[in-house]
Amino acid sequence: MKILVVDDFSTMRRIIKNLLRDLGFSNTQEADDGLTAFPMLQGADFDFLITDWNMPGMQGIDLLKAVRADAKLASLPVLMVTAESKRDQIVEAAQAGVNGYIVKPFTAQTLEEKIGKIFERIDA
Amino acid sequence: MEQKKDKYADCLEHAKALVVELEAKRYAEADTLLSGLSRLHENGLFQEIGKLTRELHDTLNNFESEPRISKLTALEIPDAKERLNHVITLTQNAANKTLSVVEETLPRSEQLKKKAINLKTEWDRFTNRDMQVEEFRGLSNEIDAFLQWTAINAVEIHKGLSDVMMAQDFQDLTGQIIKRVITLVQEVEDSLVGLIRITGKNNMGKSTVEVQKPGKDIEATGPQVPGLKRESEVVNGQDEVDDLLSSLGF
């Protein structure tokens, strides 16, 4: 499974990549904001997108909306991992079609749980 | 302009009358005319000062009523202090967590090295056929115990290293917080420049500070800082996120 990890902080990308490798997902790529991520998504067959919200350039919420608006990418599972924790933000992300929402700081267990749930629901 | 003309016309009249009175040596009348003249001059001066005072008052009022400035001083500077304190807490927690794991893991690797070196010595004796059967039984048990111990400790070391890795999440969170404080400092700087500009003579009455306002529907607000929470708006941890999402049908 090919996963794109989008976060403007390289330390957080490394953390998420390492956690994913621990969970058995070693085919990951990185982008530092929505503007670089979106062409990558369009150009390659990613199976899963993990994105931050607050990034310079293009924010994660706008990336999510762009993905849902793109015919080819519309059904791509998207997990948000972000420090944004206002209720209306979570509602906004849900309405935009996010598949899971994790608030930072998070644990390895939370990530595993949410990814598991997302694919459970997709497989069902 | 018209007023100035009137003023000097008045002056001229007064002056002519003054000359007439002086030539006629009517000093009492001359004195009255003289004080009339100086009053004319003073009136102009007072008007100028009055005008300046009013302008200064207006510009200072404008400056104070600029909502961005009062928000900066009333809310955001104290918030920034809280944010920076929170950065200290986060970095301190991360450093402590990392050091604890290292302190716990170093002895494990030390023990691993010692046990492996001991076994290697014994094993070398065995491969050199320098070992009795009875002794080999003992070695065999030791090797068995070592393999079990290693399996257990490898799990612990892996867990420790994962904890060290997760502790590095402070960099993202503190980075976001510090970026916000930098933006705030920039705004304060702009405001101070604005203050200097409006108190400077050349730009008297000019409008105050221009502040960029983000035009997004939902603005990113960054990591939550304890003590700054607006209770109802913000979720408290992953459980509340899950509750909110499940209430939305997730």
Side-chain angles (χ1 to χ4, degrees), chain A residues 19-33:
Chain A
L19 288 173
L20 288 172
R21 201 182 48 216
D22 252 13
L23 296 173
F25 306 113
S26 48
N27 189 6
T28 49
Q29 287 190 33
E30 301 176 32
D32 60 3
D33 83 332

Side-chain angles (χ1 to χ4, degrees), chain B residues 15-239:
Chain B
K16 280 179 179 165
L18 183 63
V19 172
V20 171
E21 297 301 334
L22 281 173
E23 280 174 350
K25 298 192 171 147
R26 288 193 290 268
Y27 299 120
E29 283 79 356
D31 275 348
T32 316
L33 282 170
L34 263 176
S35 53
L37 257 175
S38 66
R39 207 179 308 120
L40 264 178
H41 182 64
E42 276 169 14
N43 276 348
L45 193 65
F46 284 141
Q47 270 170 15
E48 269 307 299
I49 291 175
K51 215 174 98 198
L52 281 174
T53 311
R54 196 170 52 246
E55 277 178 8
L56 184 63
H57 178 79
D58 287 351
T59 44
L60 284 177
N61 264 356
N62 274 344
F63 193 72
E64 274 168 17
S65 61
E66 167 71 53
R68 188 73 199 112
I69 309 257
S70 50
K71 206 179 157 212
L72 273 177
T73 48
L75 286 176
E76 298 191 15
I77 300 281
D79 274 13
K81 285 190 266 179
E82 279 303 311
R83 286 178 201 281
L84 291 179
N85 275 323
H86 188 52
V87 167
I88 295 175
T89 309
L90 286 176
T91 50
Q92 188 179 331
N93 288 348
N96 282 333
K97 198 170 171 189
T98 305
L99 289 173
S100 300
V101 173
V102 168
E103 281 165 8
E104 203 188 303
T105 307
L106 278 181
R108 285 185 201 278
S109 69
E110 190 60 28
Q111 263 183 297
L112 179 65
K113 187 182 81 183
K114 272 190 191 152
K115 284 176 194 270
I117 287 172
N118 282 343
L119 279 179
K120 174 72 174 136
T121 317
E122 297 297 301
W123 184 252
D124 285 348
R125 277 182 57 216
F126 170 73
T127 52
N128 293 333
R129 297 160 195 266
D130 181 19
M131 188 176 276
Q132 300 302 310
V133 178
E134 275 311 303
E135 227 183 325
F136 178 73
R137 274 200 197 110
L139 175 62
S140 168
N141 287 338
E142 271 179 50
I143 289 175
D144 186 56
F146 174 73
L147 292 176
Q148 278 188 44
W149 183 90
T150 307
I152 292 167
N153 276 272
V155 171
E156 290 301 313
I157 290 172
H158 183 277
K159 191 174 157 292
L161 290 176
S162 298
D163 287 348
V164 167
M165 184 183 72
M166 288 310 290
Q168 309 312 307
D169 70 353
F170 82 91
Q171 203 274 331
D172 170 17
L173 298 173
T174 57
Q176 291 192 49
I177 293 170
I178 290 173
K179 274 185 180 175
R180 271 162 205 284
V181 175
I182 290 173
T183 310
L184 176 67
V185 169
Q186 181 67 52
E187 268 190 49
V188 171
E189 188 189 335
D190 292 348
S191 300
L192 287 176
V193 170
L195 180 63
I196 290 165
R197 194 190 298 135
I198 63 163
T199 50
K201 202 181 165 193
N202 293 337
N203 290 298
M204 196 67 96
K206 260 198 180 167
S207 109
T208 55
V209 189
E210 289 151 34
V211 180
Q212 272 194 340
K213 296 202 172 68
K216 291 214 175 341
D217 296 349
I218 287 210
E219 192 192 338
T221 51
Q224 286 314 305
V225 175
L228 300 185
K229 269 181 193 163
R230 320 282 184 260
E231 293 281 321
S232 61
E233 299 172 12
V234 171
V235 293
N236 199 0
Q238 187 64 37
D239 286 346

